[in-house]
Amino acid sequence: MKTVCEIAHAVRNGQLTAREAVFEALCKIKELNPQINAFVEVWPEEALKRAEEIDTRRAKGEKLGALAGVPVGIKDNILYKGHKATCCSKMLANYVAPYNATVVEKLLAADAVIVGRTNMDEFAMGSSNQTSVYGPAHNPIDFDRVPGGSSGGSAAAVAAGMVPAALGTDTGGSVRQPASFCGVVGIKPGYGRISRYGVVAFSSGADQVGVLTADVKSAALMLEVLCGRDKNDSTSLEDPVPAFSQNFTPDIKGLKVGLPKGFLDDLDAEIKEKILQAAQKMKSLGAELVEVEVPHAKYSAPCYYIITSAEASSNLARFDGIRYGYSDKNAKDLNDQYESNRAPFGWEVKKRIIIGSTALRAENYKECYLQAVKVRELIKRDFAEAFKKADVILTPTSPTTAFTLGAHKDNPLAVYLADLYTCQGNIGGLAGISVPCGNDKLGLPIGLQFYGPILQEEKILNAAYHFEKGL
């Protein structure tokens, strides 16, 4: 399948019709989705009708948007008016979105065609896409392995060539880690760059909409469309949005690439080798390698799980069967109703709620939640200091490649540590991008990550673009 940029350019110039682009995507989905389970619902008739409307407008000489005719999948926690948005949970099995998320409005305004909703970990909680009520998504590289999570369906859909782009959400690496596992590009901008209005909340202080594509330039174009201030989201930033897809520099001579001290000490040998090779590749392209220190980053994972679980326990309280969610009509009394109404939550979601509620208890608040908040500030400070020496910071995306389905069933800590390198970006509010940097001996993709300061997404896009070109 063509890339986002190629499709949009071809449709606007009459070399390809939107219907042809969407029909190809729908055929791919029909062929591959039964094995991969990347999409939990597809809207073929609606998608084709919209594509035909775009073609009609072009025939009339109307100017088309930046994503003209591009087929896109959206994660199942993003609201699209009149369509289900279940967060892949029994709790929201019959929920139909009453309005569009801002990111959906922007996709439609840019003449993209949304073809379906993609699989995910329930309420975005998980790092493997194995907690979905619709069953796990499978990695297109090896069907017996996970695609990563929680945006595993979106990553798998792009990696399999079903769609050239898909939206995900990234709370601790849920766009970048599956991008690494599936061998595609995944980016999350700095916190506040993209509106969260109409996205079902997991952790409001860390959630961000991100993009998965086959190449960096397409990710830049998608970001260009999606970023910007939204009056419906008070956390969205007012800063102007650059023309990301047009701002690539001719080279990266003089770019300072930071290598964090100690980050590769306990890394798998194969992944470590690829990351070091990637650093040398950047040097050969003209970048300068500098050592930086982020000493508190090693506490990112426990800090992340305490803060996000605390926020999740608060955000998910609304799903009590009275305001939202499943309601047991046969409950005997109020206590029975509260207990049975929460039964549809899966075990991973219940576990996060319990962790978060425990951290917020009066007797634990100071030692757990408040300490985590203080550590978060130290991590932010560390990165701010590191960016005084480096333009971007280079790290692995994940400490492992894609593991087999069910591999860590009895060891949830191993799954949590899959976010080891990515959750730092959410804790620090940074911009982060994952790009493929080779494969291990089994042929499984390995991801390379670039971090940049908030509001400087051009830097990580530029670094990733030139690394991709240099492969």
Side-chain angles (χ1 to χ4, degrees):
M1 174 172 282
K2 291 181 172 65
T3 67
V4 170
C5 296
E6 289 169 344
I7 291 172
H9 182 268
V11 170
R12 284 197 302 271
N13 289 298
Q15 299 161 330
L16 178 74
T17 66
R19 192 185 193 286
E20 288 170 338
V22 171
F23 184 72
E24 181 184 354
L26 293 172
C27 287
K28 274 282 189 180
I29 294 169
K30 186 175 181 180
E31 175 193 355
L32 299 175
N33 202 56
Q35 293 171 294
I36 297 174
N37 198 28
F39 281 91
V40 296
E41 188 177 11
V42 183
W43 310 299
E45 292 180 6
E46 179 183 326
L48 288 171
K49 181 180 178 183
R50 176 167 169 76
E52 288 164 1
E53 289 171 353
I54 292 170
D55 288 333
T56 299
R57 286 173 47 218
R58 190 203 166 277
K60 291 179 179 178
E62 294 183 24
K63 185 179 179 180
L64 299 182
L67 301 178
V70 176
V72 178
I74 59 172
K75 191 174 177 179
D76 192 29
N77 60 348
I78 297 173
L79 303 192
Y80 185 13
K81 187 176 180 179
H83 302 78
K84 282 188 177 182
T86 72
C87 294
C88 290
S89 174
K90 288 182 181 179
M91 181 60 77
L92 291 175
N94 298 310
Y95 179 71
V96 176
Y99 63 92
N100 285 333
T102 297
V103 288
V104 167
E105 290 283 2
K106 291 194 171 190
L107 286 178
L108 298 178
D111 289 325
V113 180
I114 301 172
V115 298
R117 54 190 177 103
T118 57
N119 208 344
M120 59 181 281
D121 280 307
E122 183 184 9
F123 279 100
M125 298 182 193
S127 304
S128 62
N129 211 143
Q130 295 182 97
T131 67
S132 168
V133 72
Y134 298 105
H138 298 257
N139 194 314
I141 311 298
D142 180 345
F143 293 160
D144 293 327
R145 295 180 182 271
V146 302
S150 62
S151 306
S154 293
V158 173
M162 297 182 192
V163 287
L167 299 193
T169 57
D170 191 311
T171 306
S174 293
V175 163
R176 292 159 290 146
Q177 184 251 28
S180 175
F181 279 14
C182 292
V184 296
V185 174
I187 185 170
K188 79 162 197 73
Y191 185 79
R193 265 300 206 183
I194 296 179
S195 171
R196 292 180 295 109
Y197 179 71
V199 179
V200 180
F202 162 15
S203 170
S204 304
D207 290 347
Q208 292 173 254
V209 175
V211 177
L212 294 125
T213 59
D215 67 310
V216 175
K217 190 172 183 179
S218 293
L221 179 59
M222 293 289 292
L223 215 61
E224 203 173 303
V225 168
L226 297 173
C227 287
R229 171 67 180 167
D230 177 17
K231 62 182 176 60
N232 294 315
D233 179 1
S234 62
T235 65
S236 64
L237 302 174
E238 295 185 1
D239 301 75
V241 180
F244 294 122
S245 63
Q246 305 300 318
N247 283 358
F248 295 114
T249 58
D251 56 54
I252 53 170
K253 289 178 181 177
L255 181 77
K256 292 183 179 180
V257 177
L259 301 178
K261 185 179 179 181
F263 261 40
L264 305 183
D265 288 353
D266 301 317
L267 194 62
D268 174 85
E270 278 192 271
I271 297 177
K272 182 176 181 179
E273 181 185 1
K274 292 295 182 183
I275 298 301
L276 290 174
Q277 287 176 0
Q280 290 305 311
K281 171 58 73 174
M282 294 298 288
K283 186 176 181 180
S284 72
L285 293 171
E288 178 187 347
L289 303 182
V290 296
E291 185 177 74
V292 296
E293 293 190 53
V294 278
H296 296 95
K298 60 186 177 183
Y299 303 116
S300 295
C303 174
Y304 162 79
Y305 277 102
I306 288 174
I307 291 174
T308 58
S309 295
E311 292 187 2
S313 71
S314 177
N315 280 329
L316 298 187
R318 73 192 72 178
F319 299 108
D320 54 10
I322 297 172
R323 289 168 289 182
Y324 296 97
Y326 169 81
S327 182
D328 185 358
K329 307 301 181 186
N330 300 313
K332 300 173 185 176
D333 53 35
L334 187 60
N335 286 337
D336 185 38
Q337 186 174 56
Y338 270 118
E339 185 175 337
S340 58
N341 285 358
R342 285 174 169 79
F345 279 135
W347 173 236
E348 183 62 34
V349 175
K350 289 178 180 176
K351 189 162 51 178
R352 306 274 183 118
I353 292 172
I354 291 169
I355 292 171
S357 299
T358 302
L360 291 174
R361 285 171 64 97
E363 61 267 35
N364 299 328
Y365 179 80
K366 286 186 179 179
E367 290 187 3
C368 291
Y369 182 75
L370 196 57
Q371 285 295 95
V373 170
K374 290 178 180 178
V375 172
R376 177 173 63 186
E377 293 309 308
L378 291 174
I379 293 169
K380 286 182 177 180
R381 204 174 303 168
D382 285 348
F383 275 109
E385 287 299 313
F387 284 124
K388 290 179 181 178
K389 297 180 180 179
D391 297 306
V392 298
I393 292 174
L394 184 156
T395 78
T397 305
S398 173
T400 71
T401 52
F403 46 86
T404 55
L405 290 157
H408 301 307
K409 184 171 61 176
D410 300 320
N411 183 14
L413 185 59
V415 179
Y416 290 171
L417 289 177
D419 295 335
L420 182 63
Y421 293 103
T422 52
C423 65
Q424 301 162 8
N426 300 79
I427 290 295
L430 309 175
I433 186 170
S434 176
V435 289
C437 67
N439 302 292
D440 67 8
K441 61 186 176 185
L442 297 177
L444 299 172
I446 295 171
L448 167 71
Q449 181 174 225
F450 291 105
Y451 274 134
I454 192 169
L455 297 177
Q456 295 185 33
E457 288 81 9
E458 300 101 312
K459 288 183 177 180
I460 61 169
L461 283 164
N462 202 45
Y465 176 73
H466 284 282
F467 176 79
E468 180 183 73
K469 279 180 63 179
L471 284 179

